Amino acid sequence: MSIGESQKGLHEVAQSLSETEVGCFDERTQSWKSYAFDKVWGPETKQPDVFRDVEPMALSVIDGYNSCIFAYGQTGSGKTYTMEGDKENGRYGISQRTIQKIFGMLQDRAKEQQEKMNAQGDLKFEYDIEVGMLEIYNDEVYDLLDPNFLSIQGSPQKRSLSVRHGGDNVVEVPDLRKEKVSSVSDVLLALDSGNANRAKASTNLNEHSSRSHMILRVDVTSGVGEAKNKGTLYL
């Protein structure tokens, strides 16, 4: 809770009881009920701790798996902070930490393969990363990296994209722009650019709330020769 909420005499209605259990207060019965989850992070949990637990799932994209980490909750519950953190204070969220780790692991694999090449003449390890950002707002999907994004009298003018089912029952956004990135800084610049185009408005809980869902798509292709892994991560 915020300091202001505490000063008003408000109390928490949900508490982390353990690493796998949450307690919720029922105003009607004036009693607590507990619910079990695979993992529970309390308010004292730091960003590195959360990332440490989700890291294996996020990094599986390098080995050709598709993965998704989606933060869901009411306005002011900390979705944006969990995923993006507080860049100004160096408290990076899951998205930035995952990107940094992906680049680090790919660079390590390229270095290891380079050493093998020098010793045995093996093929070079290559990798390619592309990112896209989409926004879901009022049941419409928009491309946050669209270079044709315009603002007319302060009102965003964006072209709605279609969502389709592709091969193997995969959901695709055919016209979503994807930018090739070669460093962590490239991704952070794309994030800043896309976030600037998001729909925002004030609410009773948050003066600058993001009034939409933002999804960062990361396509990773890596491997040696023709045998390359292809995976997509949604954050």
Side-chain angles (χ1 to χ4, degrees):
M1 291 195 305
S2 67
I3 296 176
E5 290 170 332
S6 298
Q7 291 175 342
K8 292 179 181 179
L10 302 177
H11 60 86
E12 294 180 338
V13 295
Q15 294 183 355
S16 57
L17 304 180
S18 69
E19 291 188 352
T20 58
E21 191 176 17
V22 170
C24 296
F25 186 73
D26 188 333
E27 292 284 356
R28 183 177 58 84
T29 62
Q30 292 294 299
S31 62
W32 287 84
K33 295 181 179 180
S34 63
Y35 301 89
F37 294 87
D38 293 333
K39 180 67 180 180
V40 173
W41 296 286
E44 73 286 348
T45 307
K46 305 299 182 183
Q47 292 281 16
D49 300 325
V50 177
F51 177 69
R52 190 179 302 113
D53 288 329
V54 302
E55 180 180 359
M57 181 170 61
L59 298 181
S60 65
V61 66
I62 294 178
D63 296 317
Y65 294 96
N66 297 329
S67 185
C68 175
I69 300 176
F70 189 81
Y72 182 81
Q74 72 176 46
T75 297
S77 61
K79 301 183 297 297
T80 300
Y81 181 75
T82 299
M83 299 305 297
E84 300 181 28
D86 182 2
K87 185 173 63 173
E88 293 182 359
N89 294 313
R91 301 190 184 100
Y92 293 108
I94 291 174
S95 297
Q96 288 88 341
R97 292 176 186 275
T98 298
I99 297 299
Q100 289 176 340
K101 194 74 173 185
I102 286 175
F103 271 104
M105 290 184 66
L106 290 172
Q107 290 166 358
D108 288 343
R109 292 190 181 185
K111 183 178 180 180
E112 292 173 1
Q113 187 64 23
Q114 182 65 43
E115 294 173 352
K116 290 182 180 180
M117 285 176 58
N118 296 335
Q120 305 173 12
D122 289 344
L123 294 174
K124 182 180 180 181
F125 179 87
E126 299 175 315
Y127 62 87
D128 182 84
I129 301 178
E130 293 183 329
V131 299
M133 289 181 68
L134 62 85
E135 174 187 49
I136 304 173
Y137 180 60
N138 285 342
D139 296 326
E140 298 286 351
V141 176
Y142 301 101
D143 187 346
L144 291 175
L145 297 181
D146 185 353
N148 297 317
F149 174 89
L150 299 174
S151 181
I152 301 177
Q153 296 180 345
S155 177
Q157 304 295 312
K158 293 179 279 190
R159 179 172 61 91
S160 177
L161 302 179
S162 61
V163 179
R164 301 175 182 173
H165 282 280
D168 299 326
N169 204 32
V170 175
V171 177
E172 292 285 350
V173 184
D175 296 325
L176 179 67
R177 177 183 175 86
K178 298 177 186 177
E179 294 188 358
K180 189 172 182 177
V181 293
S182 57
S183 66
V184 175
S185 60
D186 286 347
V187 181
L188 296 182
L189 285 174
L191 280 170
D192 288 342
S193 176
N195 280 325
N197 291 334
R198 292 186 66 185
K200 294 181 176 65
S202 62
T203 69
N204 291 333
L205 293 175
N206 193 338
E207 184 179 357
H208 301 288
S209 175
S210 298
R211 306 300 294 152
S212 64
H213 298 288
M214 187 276 284
I215 299 176
L216 174 66
R217 172 174 176 156
V218 184
D219 293 324
V220 179
T221 303
S222 65
V224 177
E226 297 297 326
K228 288 184 172 64
N229 295 319
K230 294 182 179 181
T232 299
L233 173 65
Y234 295 93
L235 298 168

